[in-house]
Amino acid sequence: KAGVTQTPRYLIKTRGQQVTLSCSPISGHRSVSWYQQTPGQGLQFLFEYFSETQRNKGNFPGRFSGRQFSNSRSEMNVSTLELGDSALYLCASSLGRVDYEQYFGPGTRLTVT
Amino acid sequence: DQQVKQNSPSLSVQEGRISILNCDYTNSMFDYFLWYKKYPAEGPTFLISISSIKDKNEDGRFTVFLNKSAKHLSLHIVPSQPGDSAVYFCAARRTASKLTFGTGTRLQVTL
């Protein structure tokens, strides 16, 4: 079974631009979560989607948004990029509401210049 | 407010010895705890978990201990191997809520 895939793997953007990251969960998984990882901050939770509905949301500004499609694939969008948005963005999938084990993709490394 | 804390940013252990990674939490509503391992340029890999109704869970060389009264969990790796060198994250959640991660501990297993 294929794992969680994320595209693109690396991205360089300029301040003020916007970016869209994509995540394809493990086949059959209906829950997708997004995290931001920066040095010293660990993994900061962005949001979680289940069956196309946002189920949980972290403490990030409204510039960060996401969505989930009917095939469980998910995208996250960051508008008006800031230098501090440079990070590794990780996507994780799990089977559903009662499954606590999340399986992570390799991440998208975003650099904002 | 850091609800899950890993106070040791790094740990060095000799091959064959025991590695003990610690994690403290503040939210008494957490009912499920997990450990993840992360290599550079890869996403975290699920390692082992424990429910709040248990105090110990074992899987091969990995054992997780939970002390609810102290709000403390630990991961023991016995014996430690060079391939265990990675960053280890503990995480916690309460039912149907988000996973909260610690900041990670970098484990270095030396020869």
Side-chain angles (χ1 to χ4, degrees):
Chain A
K1 189 184 272 191
V4 178
T5 58
Q6 292 186 244
T7 56
R9 291 293 310 277
Y10 303 91
L11 205 48
I12 299 175
K13 288 285 188 179
T14 308
R15 268 181 304 175
Q17 287 186 313
Q18 76 162 20
V19 67
T20 299
L21 312 181
S22 181
C23 171
S24 292
I26 292 172
S27 177
H29 284 196
R30 296 168 65 191
S31 173
V32 172
S33 297
W34 288 89
Y35 297 86
Q36 180 195 67
Q37 186 188 9
T38 52
Q41 290 294 316
L43 278 73
Q44 302 290 312
F45 173 79
L46 281 154
F47 24 68
E48 179 182 7
Y49 287 88
F50 177 79
S51 292
E52 302 177 66
T53 301
Q54 189 179 86
R55 183 164 69 177
N56 288 298
K57 190 176 189 304
N59 298 321
F60 278 81
R63 300 185 297 107
F64 291 81
S65 63
R67 60 178 175 168
Q68 186 180 34
F69 301 95
S70 57
N71 61 358
S72 294
R73 190 177 71 83
S74 177
E75 288 181 348
M76 69 162 277
N77 184 277
V78 188
S79 61
T80 321
L81 283 165
E82 300 176 0
L83 293 178
D85 297 333
S86 294
L88 180 67
Y89 290 89
L90 291 158
C91 162
S93 76
S94 62
L95 271 173
R97 292 189 68 95
V98 296
D99 284 283
Y100 297 105
E101 287 83 30
Q102 294 186 344
Y103 297 86
F104 283 81
T108 295
R109 171 72 63 186
L110 172 65
T111 303
V112 182
T113 61
Chain B
D1 175 31
Q2 193 70 28
Q3 294 189 60
V4 179
K5 298 178 185 178
Q6 293 176 257
N7 292 316
S8 298
S10 63
L11 175 68
S12 183
V13 171
Q14 253 185 335
E15 182 182 11
R17 302 277 189 147
I18 182 171
S19 294
I20 300 176
L21 296 98
N22 294 303
C23 181
D24 297 296
Y25 62 96
T26 57
N27 190 339
S28 57
M29 299 297 291
F30 287 144
D31 57 10
Y32 205 79
F33 305 87
L34 307 89
W35 283 94
Y36 284 83
K37 179 168 76 172
K38 187 180 186 300
Y39 293 118
E42 293 183 14
T45 303
F46 169 72
L47 206 53
I48 192 169
S49 61
I50 188 168
S51 163
S52 60
I53 62 173
K54 294 185 175 181
D55 54 20
K56 177 183 173 181
N57 188 26
E58 199 169 346
D59 184 2
R61 296 186 298 115
F62 302 91
T63 304
V64 57
F65 295 92
L66 176 63
N67 182 333
K68 288 186 292 294
S69 59
K71 294 192 180 69
H72 177 84
L73 69 154
S74 61
L75 174 68
H76 293 208
I77 306 173
V78 184
S80 300
Q81 298 174 354
D84 296 330
S85 297
V87 178
Y88 288 79
F89 292 96
C90 68
R93 75 185 296 173
R94 56 186 173 89
T95 304
S97 187
K98 65 182 178 77
L99 262 183
T100 300
F101 282 83
T103 52
T105 296
R106 183 176 301 279
L107 173 66
Q108 175 97 24
V109 179
T110 59
L111 297 172

